[in-house]
């Protein structure tokens, strides 16, 4: 079943008010992940990967700290808890499992509890199997720039915080889908997750191409001053709420610049720090955004980006924590932040990097 998500027109045509920004326009693809049952042949978040049966599953070899949160649950337990919560609250946006899937997860959770009762040494002290984060086919996300012969991007991470930045360690793989004949049927899973937000909920995607402009922090000082000039907005007859008169840059950032949520390409979202340029460790080229992994698809300041098909749900009152339609993937990184993955524009084979914002 194909579903669609449509970004509403922007309240103001950016280049009509600020033609100086026209050269800075960039394409982006909003992924619009929504809970579902993806297969290995689908582009997905948190879904099964088209992984060759003869290729070792990636593991994290780093030291793993259990942290002070006291959280000790397997991915199966995390998913089972989500399902139970959604069922109790009759949440139409929560995960829905078949009886067979629920039974299988229950068995996994029981095996995990038995191992936990056995006490240390914990299996997490051994190499940790990575969890699937995203699988993107170029046919669905044509902005991807794969190496020659590749048409599939696979992103995984270790569901533990890693020093010094206290975030999941990520791994990026490019491959040719046609070259995978025998698919790994049952990939290994980590013994536990450091945090439930590191266990993505399986989601199907509704990719949508949009045009983005840089966050005000990415603008040159003279352009930032122009965007902050209320008289320019008035002279252009822009229909902007007068409450933004003292700080029109906030309107620009929230409603016109870069879209919130999971996306490929476009401009990076900033806020936790000023723009932080990333350079390739191999060739020193300035790296470009590949994928934004978002904690939320929108918040109170960016509801103008809510797809037309989700607006009724977005404005409904009474969403319980963990059941919000703005968090379909149930992923949460940092303090409800974004993780940005960057790649080298000269060679996709060079090591990627990531950053929490």
């Amino acid at each position: 079943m194909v579903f669609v998500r449509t970004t509403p027109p922007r309240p103001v045509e950016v280049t009509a008010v600020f033609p100086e920004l026209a050269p800075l326009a960039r394409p982006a693809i909003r992924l619009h992940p929504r809970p579902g049952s993806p297969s290995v042949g689908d582009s997905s978040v948190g879904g099964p990967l088209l992984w060759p049966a003869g290729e070792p599953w990636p593991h994290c070899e780093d030291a793993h700290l259990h942290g002070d949160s006291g959280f000790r649950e397997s991915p199966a337990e995390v998913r089972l808890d989500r399902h139970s919560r959604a069922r109790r609250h009759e949440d139409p946006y929560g995960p829905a499992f078949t009886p067979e899937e629920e039974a299988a997860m229950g068995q996994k959770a029981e095996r995990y509890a038995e191992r936990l009762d056995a006490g240390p040494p914990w299996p997490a002290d051994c190499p940790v199997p990575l969890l699937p984060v995203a699988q993107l086919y170029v046919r669905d996300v044509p902005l991807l720039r794969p190496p020659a012969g590749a048409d599939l991007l696979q992103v995984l991470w270790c569901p533990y915080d890693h020093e010094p930045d206290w975030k999941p360690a990520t791994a990026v793989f490019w491959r040719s889908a046609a070259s995978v004949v025998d698919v790994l049927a049952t990939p290994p899973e980590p013994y536990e997750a450091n945090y439930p937000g590191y266990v993505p909920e399986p989601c199907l995607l509704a990719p949508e191409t949009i045009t983005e402009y840089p966050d005000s922090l990415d603008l040159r000082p003279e352009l930032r001053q122009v965007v902050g000039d209320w008289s320019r907005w008035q002279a252009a007859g822009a229909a902007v709420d007068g409450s933004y008169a003292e700080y029109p840059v906030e309107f620009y950032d929230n409603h016109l610049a870069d879209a919130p949520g999971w996306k490929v390409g476009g401009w990076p979202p900033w806020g936790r720090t000023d723009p932080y340029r990333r350079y390739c460790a191999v060739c020193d080229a300035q790296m470009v955004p590949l994928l934004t992994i978002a904690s939320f698809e929108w918040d109170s300041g960016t509801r103008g980006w809510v797809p037309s098909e989700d607006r009724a749900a977005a404005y409904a009152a009474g969403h319980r924590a963990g059941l919000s339609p703005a968090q379909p993937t149930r992923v949460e990184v940092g303090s409800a932040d974004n993780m940005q993955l960057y790649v080298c524009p000269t060679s996709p084979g060079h090591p990627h990097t990531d950053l929490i914002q």
Side-chain angles (χ1 to χ4, degrees):
M1 178 180 177
V2 177
F3 70 100
V4 174
R5 288 296 183 271
T6 311
T7 299
R10 298 298 79 216
V12 173
E13 176 55 50
V14 176
T15 56
V17 183
F18 306 108
E20 302 96 325
L21 298 184
L24 302 178
R26 279 186 189 175
I29 294 183
R30 301 187 73 186
L31 298 179
H32 299 305
R34 299 296 183 268
S37 299
S39 72
V40 296
D42 293 317
S43 292
S44 66
V45 163
L49 303 185
L50 186 76
W51 196 270
E55 183 177 326
W57 187 262
H59 287 63
C60 180
E61 304 282 347
D62 293 344
H64 296 96
L65 303 177
H66 295 292
D68 300 323
S69 66
F71 182 83
R72 302 188 69 88
E73 286 189 3
S74 68
E77 279 194 304
V78 171
R79 298 184 188 109
L80 198 58
D81 287 346
R82 289 172 181 164
H83 176 54
S84 298
R85 189 184 306 118
R87 186 172 51 191
R88 286 198 308 271
H89 299 295
E90 298 181 349
D91 175 40
Y93 307 100
F97 302 133
T98 66
E100 293 77 15
E101 290 172 329
E102 188 173 355
M105 283 191 295
Q107 292 170 2
K108 284 185 180 180
E110 288 175 6
R111 290 195 296 269
Y112 166 78
E114 291 172 359
R115 286 180 295 179
L116 190 63
D117 289 340
W122 307 112
D125 296 332
C126 305
V128 174
L130 302 190
L131 273 177
V133 175
Q135 173 167 274
L136 305 176
Y137 285 87
V138 174
R139 66 168 190 257
D140 301 321
V141 189
L143 274 186
L144 294 170
R145 290 179 286 186
D151 61 355
L152 177 61
L153 170 67
Q154 295 170 324
V155 179
L156 303 91
W157 68 19
C158 175
Y160 283 85
D161 284 322
H162 290 69
E163 295 183 303
D165 300 317
W166 296 97
K167 64 179 185 291
T170 55
V172 170
F173 297 87
W174 297 96
R175 70 174 74 252
S176 165
S179 69
V180 182
V181 179
D182 296 318
V183 179
L184 182 63
T186 55
E189 278 202 336
Y191 170 69
E192 64 184 15
N194 201 173
Y195 182 60
Y198 294 166
V199 181
E201 193 63 34
C203 289
L204 291 165
L205 309 180
E208 177 198 21
T209 302
I210 63 168
T211 299
E212 290 191 339
Y213 296 90
D215 184 282
S216 63
L217 293 174
D218 256 326
L219 296 175
R220 300 191 308 273
E222 58 271 23
L223 283 180
R224 197 177 309 143
Q225 185 174 2
V226 166
V227 170
D229 183 355
W230 181 242
S231 64
R232 282 286 297 269
W233 296 84
Q234 291 177 305
V240 180
D241 189 329
S243 63
Y244 286 99
E246 291 188 11
Y247 197 58
V249 170
E250 183 177 336
F251 180 85
Y252 169 79
D253 282 337
N254 285 346
H255 302 285
L256 305 179
D258 53 288
W262 289 66
K263 66 182 180 182
V264 166
W267 284 92
W270 299 106
R272 185 160 292 280
T273 69
D274 287 342
Y276 187 79
R277 308 301 176 207
R278 315 292 283 178
Y279 294 92
C280 178
V282 176
C283 67
D284 208 35
Q286 183 171 324
M287 305 182 88
V288 296
L290 171 67
L291 174 67
T292 298
I293 298 170
S295 295
F296 288 89
E297 290 293 284
W298 62 80
D299 59 22
S300 58
T302 58
R303 281 185 177 172
W305 290 95
V306 174
S308 301
E309 296 83 358
D310 293 325
R311 297 190 74 78
Y315 285 90
H319 292 303
R320 296 176 182 270
L323 298 178
S324 169
Q327 198 180 26
T329 66
R330 303 303 189 254
V331 165
E332 189 165 348
V333 291
S335 298
D337 295 317
N338 302 292
M339 176 181 277
Q340 304 160 26
L341 269 57
Y342 291 82
V343 289
C344 176
T346 62
S347 175
H350 288 174
H352 77 288
T353 187
D354 54 50
L355 176 69
I356 293 283
Q357 271 296 319

